[in-house]
């Protein structure tokens, strides 16, 4: 293969820094990074509360934190899908 071929997706090949790629992805799908940040926040809170869980069993505490983290991610992705459907079908320009 020759190296002088045109890139298939030139707008994706021009960004080389990780920061610019992250900013572009955040603009394209804003709810995915929000879901990831919420997941990290729930995990951080769960680790913090792990010391102060009182008489609660470790397995029960971990199950609650897993359900909370998954719920946040699924909620963020659902909002993202609804937002994209709204943007494509309701705000779609008249053709």
């Amino acid at each position: 293969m020759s190296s002088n071929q045109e890139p298939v997706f030139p707008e994706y090949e021009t960004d080389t820094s990780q920061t610019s790629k992250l900013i572009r992805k955040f603009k394209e799908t804003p709810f995915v990074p929000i879901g990831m940040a919420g997941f990290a926040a729930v995990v951080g809170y769960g680790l913090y509360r792990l010391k102060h869980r009182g008489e609660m069993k470790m397995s029960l505490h971990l199950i609650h934190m897993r359900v909370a983290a998954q719920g946040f991610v699924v909620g963020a992705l659902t909002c993202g899908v609804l937002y994209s459907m709204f943007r494509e079908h309701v705000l779609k320009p008249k053709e």
Side-chain angles (χ1 to χ4, degrees):
M1 298 189 93
S2 66
S3 62
N4 58 1
Q5 292 178 344
E6 286 187 30
V8 177
F9 298 108
E11 65 273 4
Y12 289 104
E13 305 256 344
T14 57
D15 295 336
T16 56
S17 72
Q18 293 294 327
T19 307
S20 62
K21 288 180 183 179
L22 183 64
I23 291 171
R24 186 189 74 239
K25 278 295 194 187
F26 187 74
K27 287 179 182 176
E28 289 175 359
T29 55
F31 288 97
V32 172
I34 292 170
M36 290 170 31
F39 174 80
V42 169
V43 168
Y45 177 74
L47 290 174
Y48 171 75
R49 292 295 301 167
L50 188 62
K51 282 186 171 183
H52 310 289
R53 70 182 186 275
E55 297 295 319
M56 185 185 293
K57 287 184 175 181
M58 170 78 87
S59 62
L60 188 60
H61 175 74
L62 292 176
I63 288 171
H64 287 173
M65 290 300 110
R66 179 185 63 87
V67 168
Q70 284 179 334
F72 194 91
V73 171
V74 168
L77 290 176
T78 302
C79 289
V81 168
L82 293 175
Y83 173 71
S84 68
M85 288 173 59
F86 176 76
R87 192 174 55 188
E88 288 177 11
H89 298 292
V90 175
L91 298 179
K92 185 169 96 172
K94 304 285 184 195
E95 292 180 10

